[in-house]
Amino acid sequence: MNRPYHLKPLSLASSSNIDYSSALNNQQYAAVTSTPGAALVIAGAGSGKTRTLTYRVSWLLEQGYAAEQILLLTFTNKAAREMLERVNTLLPGRASTLWGGTFHSIGHRILRHHVELLGYQRNFTIMDRDDQEALLDAVMTRKGLRLSEKRFPKANVLLEIISLLNNTGETLHALLVRKYRYFLDLEPDLQTAIEGYHLAKKTANTMDFDDLLTKTQELFLTHPEIAQHYQQQFRAILVDEYQDTNYLQANLIDILAKLHQHIMVVGDDAQSIYSWRGANVSNILDFPKRYPSAQFFPIETNYRSVPQILHLANASIFCNPQQFPKELQAIRSPYARPPARVALATNIEQASFIGQRLMELHKEGIPFAEMAVLYRAHYHSMEIQMELTRRGIPFLITSGLRFFEQAHIKDVAAMMKFALNPNDEVAFKRLVGLFRGIGKKTAESLWKQTREKLEGTHEFERLTSCKLPAKAAREWKQWLDTILEITQKEVIMTPSTMIETIMIGFYEEIMKERFTNYDVRLEDLKTLTNYSKQFSQASDFLAELTLLGENETNTQKEEDQVYLSSIHQAKGLEWRVVFIVWLTEGMFPTLRSLSEATTLEEERRLFYVAVTRCKEDLYLTYPELRLNAHYGEAFQRPSRFLEELKHDLYDRWDISLAM
């Protein structure tokens, strides 16, 4: 007969060297020293979330938990390293065997021990993005999926679809309906490609990044004894940024916490802004439903912002019905002036105001690096980039490439360049490189044919007889028809009309196939079209693009630079001065969000995140008139995120032009 014997954890609380009550505020202390069990910690912006997690780990170690019995899940390796370093500072050497890291690193660690149970060899390799694209391209080629007349997505686009399927749990059909309607007619072929890709990975004994989670979940579900092993081992689970977890990550957490039910998740539902990449705010909102006995700990003391910023942020997020109520409280003293609401006549004037105000603040002694311009979408920054370039204000783009360096901008510019100058070899090869079946050798052959047939003229109809791969014939014809249209002798096209013709004629279809964020790039090109309206000659417009691009390159050498960033990229950062721009209906919030309550709530959370990046001086700007090439001059209504705020939360600035 087996005799049960239970080991009890050694309590070291009485000999603690850490004065938790002095190191933490009351709300942090309550969360850190809470009894084992499920706990939801709602940590508001700037409230010391990392500090709370760090001290919780230290508390558990001092209560007798062995380091290897604690699992700390984060979203970045940097966050994991920072927390573990802090724990080791508090308790030297005590956290060396703690399981801490990203979801994917922990999944990888588990799979290395048990992957043979899934039919893989233990020496499996992990593909980077280039490897994934190469393998998927090979699968599509073997199955003949890119030989049809229909435009089939390139590997990078299809990989984005596969990743969303993994992380959201959606069916392919549901995802296509929600996000990729223009591929619905390809659904059977897409399914074939996806299945072939998964089979090819297993045959090659390799995994992609998502497999580190999907295969871990598969391991737990198909081999419950393995799940039980880790459920037994992890007596305490802590999760950082829980509001950013997706369907798959939440499932894995629930599986691991099943036995002990000792799970502390830390996050802020008001900062859940990543649904576009699979994050599900319901995970944090429904946590009390999944863990009915969960303790609730709000942490509302903000150490970053002045009171006026927090009053505005609190009032804004209060308008969201689905949330955990909280009210950020400031430690800092009031600032000299409240946030500014600034209406500008046009989007050009908005850029001018930002440029002038940045210079004024810099002359007052504020470094450029302490100032940021935040926007909802990358294309909102175009006029601002150009204005800062003209004024010689150094700036750093963190939301992506500088506007004129982006591939789709360069593609359209190349089309215009070749139409004006048939001797431009670089522009020609860039364009034909977009077509199926045309590599470097074929591009060189086509360039030789083009030079011989054109003989320096603009008689582009001569190119109809060029010899090229059959799979590129349709695209070549569309491109050539577009060239002929924009170079008609009897019609002198403006740059804006040329861009619109290029888009309709052939490039919009290419964008759908090549880019994962087709809709965002389309808005970029609409903005470029709008900007080009100030030029009557395409040559002048292209020269301006080149000069601006050269000036932008030179500014990258500066160290003290204004930050230009999308709000998504700015999360977790902070500046003394923040400009939030384009606060109009349809721009922020976006037009597509206005018809769906849950999406509109996320837009408001995004505004909240933007506001809480600011320490002191906040400017909320918008143009009253949008100069738009597609829709003409369009009057803009102020964003509801401004209109729903009480007037005493900000000062209105009246802008006039100096004579």
Side-chain angles (χ1 to χ4, degrees), residues 605-636:
R605 294 195 295 268
L606 197 59
F607 177 67
Y608 173 85
V609 166
V611 169
T612 54
R613 299 311 92 201
C614 183
K615 296 180 182 179
E616 298 170 359
D617 204 3
L618 178 65
Y619 298 86
L620 309 169
T621 75
Y622 62 95
E624 294 178 318
L625 186 68
R626 182 186 183 191
L627 306 177
N628 187 289
H630 286 258
Y631 312 111
E633 296 182 351
F635 285 101
Q636 301 286 289

PDB file of all heavy atoms in Angstrom, residues 605-636:
ATOM      1  N   ARG A 605     -10.244  53.418 -27.063  1.00  0.00           N
ATOM      2  CA  ARG A 605      -9.110  52.957 -26.259  1.00  0.00           C
ATOM      3  C   ARG A 605      -7.796  53.438 -26.870  1.00  0.00           C
ATOM      4  O   ARG A 605      -6.847  53.772 -26.169  1.00  0.00           O
ATOM      5  CB  ARG A 605      -9.121  51.429 -26.132  1.00  0.00           C
ATOM      6  CG  ARG A 605     -10.301  50.878 -25.351  1.00  0.00           C
ATOM      7  CD  ARG A 605     -10.092  49.431 -24.940  1.00  0.00           C
ATOM      8  NE  ARG A 605     -10.025  48.503 -26.036  1.00  0.00           N
ATOM      9  CZ  ARG A 605     -11.062  47.841 -26.551  1.00  0.00           C
ATOM     10  NH1 ARG A 605     -12.287  48.045 -26.067  1.00  0.00           N
ATOM     11  NH2 ARG A 605     -10.899  46.987 -27.532  1.00  0.00           N
ATOM     12  N   LEU A 606      -7.757  53.472 -28.192  1.00  0.00           N
ATOM     13  CA  LEU A 606      -6.559  53.953 -28.879  1.00  0.00           C
ATOM     14  C   LEU A 606      -6.327  55.439 -28.579  1.00  0.00           C
ATOM     15  O   LEU A 606      -5.184  55.872 -28.364  1.00  0.00           O
ATOM     16  CB  LEU A 606      -6.723  53.725 -30.384  1.00  0.00           C
ATOM     17  CG  LEU A 606      -5.479  53.764 -31.254  1.00  0.00           C
ATOM     18  CD1 LEU A 606      -4.466  52.721 -30.822  1.00  0.00           C
ATOM     19  CD2 LEU A 606      -5.859  53.557 -32.722  1.00  0.00           C
ATOM     20  N   PHE A 607      -7.397  56.218 -28.554  1.00  0.00           N
ATOM     21  CA  PHE A 607      -7.283  57.638 -28.190  1.00  0.00           C
ATOM     22  C   PHE A 607      -6.784  57.768 -26.750  1.00  0.00           C
ATOM     23  O   PHE A 607      -5.916  58.601 -26.450  1.00  0.00           O
ATOM     24  CB  PHE A 607      -8.640  58.323 -28.357  1.00  0.00           C
ATOM     25  CG  PHE A 607      -8.653  59.767 -27.954  1.00  0.00           C
ATOM     26  CD1 PHE A 607      -7.945  60.715 -28.680  1.00  0.00           C
ATOM     27  CD2 PHE A 607      -9.376  60.189 -26.849  1.00  0.00           C
ATOM     28  CE1 PHE A 607      -7.954  62.053 -28.304  1.00  0.00           C
ATOM     29  CE2 PHE A 607      -9.393  61.520 -26.469  1.00  0.00           C
ATOM     30  CZ  PHE A 607      -8.678  62.460 -27.203  1.00  0.00           C
ATOM     31  N   TYR A 608      -7.294  56.932 -25.868  1.00  0.00           N
ATOM     32  CA  TYR A 608      -6.876  56.925 -24.463  1.00  0.00           C
ATOM     33  C   TYR A 608      -5.382  56.620 -24.343  1.00  0.00           C
ATOM     34  O   TYR A 608      -4.656  57.278 -23.590  1.00  0.00           O
ATOM     35  CB  TYR A 608      -7.711  55.890 -23.715  1.00  0.00           C
ATOM     36  CG  TYR A 608      -7.309  55.615 -22.284  1.00  0.00           C
ATOM     37  CD1 TYR A 608      -7.774  56.404 -21.243  1.00  0.00           C
ATOM     38  CD2 TYR A 608      -6.496  54.535 -21.964  1.00  0.00           C
ATOM     39  CE1 TYR A 608      -7.431  56.143 -19.921  1.00  0.00           C
ATOM     40  CE2 TYR A 608      -6.145  54.251 -20.650  1.00  0.00           C
ATOM     41  CZ  TYR A 608      -6.618  55.063 -19.628  1.00  0.00           C
ATOM     42  OH  TYR A 608      -6.276  54.790 -18.334  1.00  0.00           O
ATOM     43  N   VAL A 609      -4.915  55.640 -25.091  1.00  0.00           N
ATOM     44  CA  VAL A 609      -3.491  55.299 -25.084  1.00  0.00           C
ATOM     45  C   VAL A 609      -2.665  56.493 -25.558  1.00  0.00           C
ATOM     46  O   VAL A 609      -1.629  56.826 -24.970  1.00  0.00           O
ATOM     47  CB  VAL A 609      -3.218  54.062 -25.965  1.00  0.00           C
ATOM     48  CG1 VAL A 609      -1.722  53.896 -26.236  1.00  0.00           C
ATOM     49  CG2 VAL A 609      -3.773  52.808 -25.307  1.00  0.00           C
ATOM     50  N   ALA A 610      -3.130  57.170 -26.618  1.00  0.00           N
ATOM     51  CA  ALA A 610      -2.396  58.325 -27.140  1.00  0.00           C
ATOM     52  C   ALA A 610      -2.301  59.431 -26.093  1.00  0.00           C
ATOM     53  O   ALA A 610      -1.230  60.001 -25.864  1.00  0.00           O
ATOM     54  CB  ALA A 610      -3.075  58.846 -28.404  1.00  0.00           C
ATOM     55  N   VAL A 611      -3.411  59.729 -25.442  1.00  0.00           N
ATOM     56  CA  VAL A 611      -3.430  60.800 -24.443  1.00  0.00           C
ATOM     57  C   VAL A 611      -2.480  60.473 -23.289  1.00  0.00           C
ATOM     58  O   VAL A 611      -1.726  61.333 -22.819  1.00  0.00           O
ATOM     59  CB  VAL A 611      -4.864  61.026 -23.919  1.00  0.00           C
ATOM     60  CG1 VAL A 611      -4.862  61.949 -22.701  1.00  0.00           C
ATOM     61  CG2 VAL A 611      -5.745  61.612 -25.017  1.00  0.00           C
ATOM     62  N   THR A 612      -2.496  59.230 -22.843  1.00  0.00           N
ATOM     63  CA  THR A 612      -1.697  58.863 -21.664  1.00  0.00           C
ATOM     64  C   THR A 612      -0.216  58.664 -21.986  1.00  0.00           C
ATOM     65  O   THR A 612       0.562  58.325 -21.099  1.00  0.00           O
ATOM     66  CB  THR A 612      -2.263  57.600 -20.990  1.00  0.00           C
ATOM     67  OG1 THR A 612      -2.378  56.547 -21.964  1.00  0.00           O
ATOM     68  CG2 THR A 612      -3.624  57.885 -20.378  1.00  0.00           C
ATOM     69  N   ARG A 613       0.199  58.888 -23.247  1.00  0.00           N
ATOM     70  CA  ARG A 613       1.636  58.921 -23.559  1.00  0.00           C
ATOM     71  C   ARG A 613       2.236  60.261 -23.123  1.00  0.00           C
ATOM     72  O   ARG A 613       3.451  60.404 -23.048  1.00  0.00           O
ATOM     73  CB  ARG A 613       1.898  58.769 -25.062  1.00  0.00           C
ATOM     74  CG  ARG A 613       1.438  57.492 -25.750  1.00  0.00           C
ATOM     75  CD  ARG A 613       1.843  56.259 -25.038  1.00  0.00           C
ATOM     76  NE  ARG A 613       0.801  55.823 -24.108  1.00  0.00           N
ATOM     77  CZ  ARG A 613       0.980  55.026 -23.074  1.00  0.00           C
ATOM     78  NH1 ARG A 613       2.184  54.590 -22.789  1.00  0.00           N
ATOM     79  NH2 ARG A 613      -0.023  54.662 -22.294  1.00  0.00           N
ATOM     80  N   CYS A 614       1.381  61.253 -22.883  1.00  0.00           N
ATOM     81  CA  CYS A 614       1.833  62.619 -22.638  1.00  0.00           C
ATOM     82  C   CYS A 614       2.085  62.856 -21.151  1.00  0.00           C
ATOM     83  O   CYS A 614       1.240  62.532 -20.315  1.00  0.00           O
ATOM     84  CB  CYS A 614       0.794  63.607 -23.160  1.00  0.00           C
ATOM     85  SG  CYS A 614       1.290  65.323 -22.999  1.00  0.00           S
ATOM     86  N   LYS A 615       3.225  63.456 -20.848  1.00  0.00           N
ATOM     87  CA  LYS A 615       3.530  63.804 -19.465  1.00  0.00           C
ATOM     88  C   LYS A 615       2.952  65.162 -19.078  1.00  0.00           C
ATOM     89  O   LYS A 615       2.434  65.334 -17.973  1.00  0.00           O
ATOM     90  CB  LYS A 615       5.047  63.843 -19.256  1.00  0.00           C
ATOM     91  CG  LYS A 615       5.765  62.524 -19.449  1.00  0.00           C
ATOM     92  CD  LYS A 615       7.270  62.742 -19.215  1.00  0.00           C
ATOM     93  CE  LYS A 615       8.073  61.488 -19.437  1.00  0.00           C
ATOM     94  NZ  LYS A 615       9.525  61.721 -19.223  1.00  0.00           N
ATOM     95  N   GLU A 616       3.050  66.160 -20.004  1.00  0.00           N
ATOM     96  CA  GLU A 616       2.728  67.529 -19.594  1.00  0.00           C
ATOM     97  C   GLU A 616       1.884  68.309 -20.591  1.00  0.00           C
ATOM     98  O   GLU A 616       0.836  68.840 -20.247  1.00  0.00           O
ATOM     99  CB  GLU A 616       4.036  68.312 -19.348  1.00  0.00           C
ATOM    100  CG  GLU A 616       4.895  67.737 -18.234  1.00  0.00           C
ATOM    101  CD  GLU A 616       6.270  68.378 -18.176  1.00  0.00           C
ATOM    102  OE1 GLU A 616       6.556  69.265 -19.021  1.00  0.00           O
ATOM    103  OE2 GLU A 616       7.055  67.997 -17.290  1.00  0.00           O
ATOM    104  N   ASP A 617       2.351  68.408 -21.819  1.00  0.00           N
ATOM    105  CA  ASP A 617       1.813  69.380 -22.774  1.00  0.00           C
ATOM    106  C   ASP A 617       1.156  68.647 -23.945  1.00  0.00           C
ATOM    107  O   ASP A 617       1.855  68.052 -24.774  1.00  0.00           O
ATOM    108  CB  ASP A 617       2.961  70.273 -23.262  1.00  0.00           C
ATOM    109  CG  ASP A 617       2.484  71.621 -23.761  1.00  0.00           C
ATOM    110  OD1 ASP A 617       1.281  71.897 -23.691  1.00  0.00           O
ATOM    111  OD2 ASP A 617       3.330  72.411 -24.233  1.00  0.00           O
ATOM    112  N   LEU A 618      -0.170  68.718 -24.019  1.00  0.00           N
ATOM    113  CA  LEU A 618      -0.929  67.923 -24.996  1.00  0.00           C
ATOM    114  C   LEU A 618      -1.647  68.837 -25.985  1.00  0.00           C
ATOM    115  O   LEU A 618      -2.308  69.801 -25.583  1.00  0.00           O
ATOM    116  CB  LEU A 618      -1.946  67.042 -24.271  1.00  0.00           C
ATOM    117  CG  LEU A 618      -2.869  66.183 -25.137  1.00  0.00           C
ATOM    118  CD1 LEU A 618      -2.061  65.125 -25.901  1.00  0.00           C
ATOM    119  CD2 LEU A 618      -3.931  65.513 -24.266  1.00  0.00           C
ATOM    120  N   TYR A 619      -1.543  68.504 -27.286  1.00  0.00           N
ATOM    121  CA  TYR A 619      -2.219  69.246 -28.349  1.00  0.00           C
ATOM    122  C   TYR A 619      -3.094  68.283 -29.147  1.00  0.00           C
ATOM    123  O   TYR A 619      -2.603  67.271 -29.658  1.00  0.00           O
ATOM    124  CB  TYR A 619      -1.196  69.911 -29.273  1.00  0.00           C
ATOM    125  CG  TYR A 619      -0.336  70.929 -28.560  1.00  0.00           C
ATOM    126  CD1 TYR A 619       0.826  70.526 -27.891  1.00  0.00           C
ATOM    127  CD2 TYR A 619      -0.688  72.269 -28.522  1.00  0.00           C
ATOM    128  CE1 TYR A 619       1.613  71.447 -27.207  1.00  0.00           C
ATOM    129  CE2 TYR A 619       0.091  73.200 -27.844  1.00  0.00           C
ATOM    130  CZ  TYR A 619       1.235  72.780 -27.188  1.00  0.00           C
ATOM    131  OH  TYR A 619       2.000  73.693 -26.501  1.00  0.00           O
ATOM    132  N   LEU A 620      -4.372  68.595 -29.241  1.00  0.00           N
ATOM    133  CA  LEU A 620      -5.343  67.782 -29.975  1.00  0.00           C
ATOM    134  C   LEU A 620      -5.748  68.578 -31.210  1.00  0.00           C
ATOM    135  O   LEU A 620      -6.459  69.578 -31.109  1.00  0.00           O
ATOM    136  CB  LEU A 620      -6.558  67.481 -29.100  1.00  0.00           C
ATOM    137  CG  LEU A 620      -6.245  66.894 -27.706  1.00  0.00           C
ATOM    138  CD1 LEU A 620      -7.493  66.881 -26.837  1.00  0.00           C
ATOM    139  CD2 LEU A 620      -5.659  65.495 -27.835  1.00  0.00           C
ATOM    140  N   THR A 621      -5.287  68.166 -32.381  1.00  0.00           N
ATOM    141  CA  THR A 621      -5.464  68.985 -33.582  1.00  0.00           C
ATOM    142  C   THR A 621      -6.310  68.281 -34.639  1.00  0.00           C
ATOM    143  O   THR A 621      -6.346  67.051 -34.713  1.00  0.00           O
ATOM    144  CB  THR A 621      -4.102  69.362 -34.199  1.00  0.00           C
ATOM    145  OG1 THR A 621      -3.550  68.216 -34.863  1.00  0.00           O
ATOM    146  CG2 THR A 621      -3.125  69.853 -33.141  1.00  0.00           C
ATOM    147  N   TYR A 622      -6.947  69.110 -35.474  1.00  0.00           N
ATOM    148  CA  TYR A 622      -7.723  68.570 -36.594  1.00  0.00           C
ATOM    149  C   TYR A 622      -7.960  69.665 -37.626  1.00  0.00           C
ATOM    150  O   TYR A 622      -8.063  70.847 -37.286  1.00  0.00           O
ATOM    151  CB  TYR A 622      -9.059  67.994 -36.124  1.00  0.00           C
ATOM    152  CG  TYR A 622      -9.988  68.999 -35.471  1.00  0.00           C
ATOM    153  CD1 TYR A 622     -10.976  69.642 -36.214  1.00  0.00           C
ATOM    154  CD2 TYR A 622      -9.882  69.303 -34.118  1.00  0.00           C
ATOM    155  CE1 TYR A 622     -11.840  70.558 -35.617  1.00  0.00           C
ATOM    156  CE2 TYR A 622     -10.732  70.213 -33.517  1.00  0.00           C
ATOM    157  CZ  TYR A 622     -11.708  70.837 -34.267  1.00  0.00           C
ATOM    158  OH  TYR A 622     -12.555  71.753 -33.685  1.00  0.00           O
ATOM    159  N   PRO A 623      -8.040  69.280 -38.910  1.00  0.00           N
ATOM    160  CA  PRO A 623      -8.372  70.252 -39.952  1.00  0.00           C
ATOM    161  C   PRO A 623      -9.889  70.320 -40.144  1.00  0.00           C
ATOM    162  O   PRO A 623     -10.578  69.301 -40.099  1.00  0.00           O
ATOM    163  CB  PRO A 623      -7.690  69.676 -41.188  1.00  0.00           C
ATOM    164  CG  PRO A 623      -7.709  68.196 -40.961  1.00  0.00           C
ATOM    165  CD  PRO A 623      -7.640  67.982 -39.468  1.00  0.00           C
ATOM    166  N   GLU A 624     -10.401  71.508 -40.370  1.00  0.00           N
ATOM    167  CA  GLU A 624     -11.835  71.663 -40.623  1.00  0.00           C
ATOM    168  C   GLU A 624     -12.180  71.397 -42.080  1.00  0.00           C
ATOM    169  O   GLU A 624     -13.328  71.139 -42.416  1.00  0.00           O
ATOM    170  CB  GLU A 624     -12.278  73.069 -40.224  1.00  0.00           C
ATOM    171  CG  GLU A 624     -12.157  73.310 -38.717  1.00  0.00           C
ATOM    172  CD  GLU A 624     -12.542  74.706 -38.307  1.00  0.00           C
ATOM    173  OE1 GLU A 624     -12.159  75.660 -39.032  1.00  0.00           O
ATOM    174  OE2 GLU A 624     -13.222  74.862 -37.272  1.00  0.00           O
ATOM    175  N   LEU A 625     -11.163  71.461 -42.941  1.00  0.00           N
ATOM    176  CA  LEU A 625     -11.367  71.199 -44.366  1.00  0.00           C
ATOM    177  C   LEU A 625     -10.257  70.278 -44.831  1.00  0.00           C
ATOM    178  O   LEU A 625      -9.069  70.552 -44.595  1.00  0.00           O
ATOM    179  CB  LEU A 625     -11.329  72.511 -45.156  1.00  0.00           C
ATOM    180  CG  LEU A 625     -11.673  72.426 -46.645  1.00  0.00           C
ATOM    181  CD1 LEU A 625     -13.139  72.070 -46.834  1.00  0.00           C
ATOM    182  CD2 LEU A 625     -11.355  73.750 -47.336  1.00  0.00           C
ATOM    183  N   ARG A 626     -10.640  69.184 -45.458  1.00  0.00           N
ATOM    184  CA  ARG A 626      -9.653  68.247 -45.980  1.00  0.00           C
ATOM    185  C   ARG A 626      -9.525  68.443 -47.477  1.00  0.00           C
ATOM    186  O   ARG A 626     -10.496  68.302 -48.217  1.00  0.00           O
ATOM    187  CB  ARG A 626     -10.066  66.806 -45.678  1.00  0.00           C
ATOM    188  CG  ARG A 626      -9.046  65.774 -46.165  1.00  0.00           C
ATOM    189  CD  ARG A 626      -9.570  64.356 -45.983  1.00  0.00           C
ATOM    190  NE  ARG A 626      -8.578  63.373 -46.384  1.00  0.00           N
ATOM    191  CZ  ARG A 626      -8.817  62.070 -46.530  1.00  0.00           C
ATOM    192  NH1 ARG A 626     -10.047  61.612 -46.290  1.00  0.00           N
ATOM    193  NH2 ARG A 626      -7.869  61.239 -46.897  1.00  0.00           N
ATOM    194  N   LEU A 627      -8.316  68.773 -47.906  1.00  0.00           N
ATOM    195  CA  LEU A 627      -8.044  68.905 -49.330  1.00  0.00           C
ATOM    196  C   LEU A 627      -7.770  67.510 -49.868  1.00  0.00           C
ATOM    197  O   LEU A 627      -6.730  66.920 -49.594  1.00  0.00           O
ATOM    198  CB  LEU A 627      -6.844  69.823 -49.554  1.00  0.00           C
ATOM    199  CG  LEU A 627      -6.943  71.211 -48.885  1.00  0.00           C
ATOM    200  CD1 LEU A 627      -5.676  71.994 -49.124  1.00  0.00           C
ATOM    201  CD2 LEU A 627      -8.162  71.959 -49.388  1.00  0.00           C
ATOM    202  N   ASN A 628      -8.721  66.970 -50.647  1.00  0.00           N
ATOM    203  CA  ASN A 628      -8.646  65.566 -51.039  1.00  0.00           C
ATOM    204  C   ASN A 628      -8.838  65.432 -52.537  1.00  0.00           C
ATOM    205  O   ASN A 628      -9.827  65.927 -53.094  1.00  0.00           O
ATOM    206  CB  ASN A 628      -9.718  64.763 -50.292  1.00  0.00           C
ATOM    207  CG  ASN A 628      -9.586  63.277 -50.515  1.00  0.00           C
ATOM    208  OD1 ASN A 628      -9.862  62.788 -51.605  1.00  0.00           O
ATOM    209  ND2 ASN A 628      -9.175  62.552 -49.484  1.00  0.00           N
ATOM    210  N   ALA A 629      -7.904  64.749 -53.180  1.00  0.00           N
ATOM    211  CA  ALA A 629      -7.958  64.613 -54.634  1.00  0.00           C
ATOM    212  C   ALA A 629      -9.129  63.761 -55.097  1.00  0.00           C
ATOM    213  O   ALA A 629      -9.637  63.930 -56.197  1.00  0.00           O
ATOM    214  CB  ALA A 629      -6.645  64.008 -55.134  1.00  0.00           C
ATOM    215  N   HIS A 630      -9.563  62.824 -54.268  1.00  0.00           N
ATOM    216  CA  HIS A 630     -10.624  61.903 -54.682  1.00  0.00           C
ATOM    217  C   HIS A 630     -12.014  62.481 -54.443  1.00  0.00           C
ATOM    218  O   HIS A 630     -12.943  62.211 -55.193  1.00  0.00           O
ATOM    219  CB  HIS A 630     -10.478  60.575 -53.931  1.00  0.00           C
ATOM    220  CG  HIS A 630      -9.333  59.753 -54.426  1.00  0.00           C
ATOM    221  ND1 HIS A 630      -9.484  58.682 -55.251  1.00  0.00           N
ATOM    222  CD2 HIS A 630      -7.993  59.886 -54.217  1.00  0.00           C
ATOM    223  CE1 HIS A 630      -8.295  58.160 -55.538  1.00  0.00           C
ATOM    224  NE2 HIS A 630      -7.377  58.878 -54.912  1.00  0.00           N
ATOM    225  N   TYR A 631     -12.157  63.241 -53.367  1.00  0.00           N
ATOM    226  CA  TYR A 631     -13.488  63.703 -52.997  1.00  0.00           C
ATOM    227  C   TYR A 631     -13.621  65.223 -53.042  1.00  0.00           C
ATOM    228  O   TYR A 631     -14.630  65.774 -52.628  1.00  0.00           O
ATOM    229  CB  TYR A 631     -13.825  63.229 -51.575  1.00  0.00           C
ATOM    230  CG  TYR A 631     -13.533  61.769 -51.352  1.00  0.00           C
ATOM    231  CD1 TYR A 631     -12.501  61.369 -50.514  1.00  0.00           C
ATOM    232  CD2 TYR A 631     -14.266  60.787 -52.013  1.00  0.00           C
ATOM    233  CE1 TYR A 631     -12.212  60.023 -50.323  1.00  0.00           C
ATOM    234  CE2 TYR A 631     -13.982  59.443 -51.827  1.00  0.00           C
ATOM    235  CZ  TYR A 631     -12.955  59.069 -50.977  1.00  0.00           C
ATOM    236  OH  TYR A 631     -12.664  57.747 -50.792  1.00  0.00           O
ATOM    237  N   GLY A 632     -12.599  65.922 -53.530  1.00  0.00           N
ATOM    238  CA  GLY A 632     -12.640  67.371 -53.523  1.00  0.00           C
ATOM    239  C   GLY A 632     -12.396  67.903 -52.125  1.00  0.00           C
ATOM    240  O   GLY A 632     -11.882  67.218 -51.258  1.00  0.00           O
ATOM    241  N   GLU A 633     -12.761  69.136 -51.910  1.00  0.00           N
ATOM    242  CA  GLU A 633     -12.608  69.732 -50.595  1.00  0.00           C
ATOM    243  C   GLU A 633     -13.737  69.244 -49.702  1.00  0.00           C
ATOM    244  O   GLU A 633     -14.908  69.509 -49.974  1.00  0.00           O
ATOM    245  CB  GLU A 633     -12.611  71.261 -50.698  1.00  0.00           C
ATOM    246  CG  GLU A 633     -11.421  71.805 -51.482  1.00  0.00           C
ATOM    247  CD  GLU A 633     -11.426  73.313 -51.528  1.00  0.00           C
ATOM    248  OE1 GLU A 633     -12.431  73.919 -51.100  1.00  0.00           O
ATOM    249  OE2 GLU A 633     -10.429  73.891 -51.990  1.00  0.00           O
ATOM    250  N   ALA A 634     -13.394  68.516 -48.651  1.00  0.00           N
ATOM    251  CA  ALA A 634     -14.404  67.898 -47.786  1.00  0.00           C
ATOM    252  C   ALA A 634     -14.347  68.519 -46.399  1.00  0.00           C
ATOM    253  O   ALA A 634     -13.288  68.562 -45.774  1.00  0.00           O
ATOM    254  CB  ALA A 634     -14.169  66.390 -47.698  1.00  0.00           C
ATOM    255  N   PHE A 635     -15.500  69.033 -45.934  1.00  0.00           N
ATOM    256  CA  PHE A 635     -15.559  69.549 -44.577  1.00  0.00           C
ATOM    257  C   PHE A 635     -15.444  68.390 -43.590  1.00  0.00           C
ATOM    258  O   PHE A 635     -15.972  67.306 -43.818  1.00  0.00           O
ATOM    259  CB  PHE A 635     -16.867  70.316 -44.353  1.00  0.00           C
ATOM    260  CG  PHE A 635     -16.887  71.662 -45.003  1.00  0.00           C
ATOM    261  CD1 PHE A 635     -17.543  71.864 -46.210  1.00  0.00           C
ATOM    262  CD2 PHE A 635     -16.223  72.731 -44.416  1.00  0.00           C
ATOM    263  CE1 PHE A 635     -17.532  73.102 -46.826  1.00  0.00           C
ATOM    264  CE2 PHE A 635     -16.218  73.976 -45.018  1.00  0.00           C
ATOM    265  CZ  PHE A 635     -16.865  74.170 -46.226  1.00  0.00           C
ATOM    266  N   GLN A 636     -14.743  68.636 -42.499  1.00  0.00           N
ATOM    267  CA  GLN A 636     -14.468  67.605 -41.513  1.00  0.00           C
ATOM    268  C   GLN A 636     -15.179  67.928 -40.202  1.00  0.00           C
ATOM    269  O   GLN A 636     -15.066  69.046 -39.690  1.00  0.00           O
ATOM    270  CB  GLN A 636     -12.960  67.516 -41.248  1.00  0.00           C
ATOM    271  CG  GLN A 636     -12.132  67.206 -42.483  1.00  0.00           C
ATOM    272  CD  GLN A 636     -12.258  65.769 -42.917  1.00  0.00           C
ATOM    273  OE1 GLN A 636     -11.761  64.862 -42.273  1.00  0.00           O
ATOM    274  NE2 GLN A 636     -12.966  65.548 -44.010  1.00  0.00           N
TER     275      GLN A 636
END
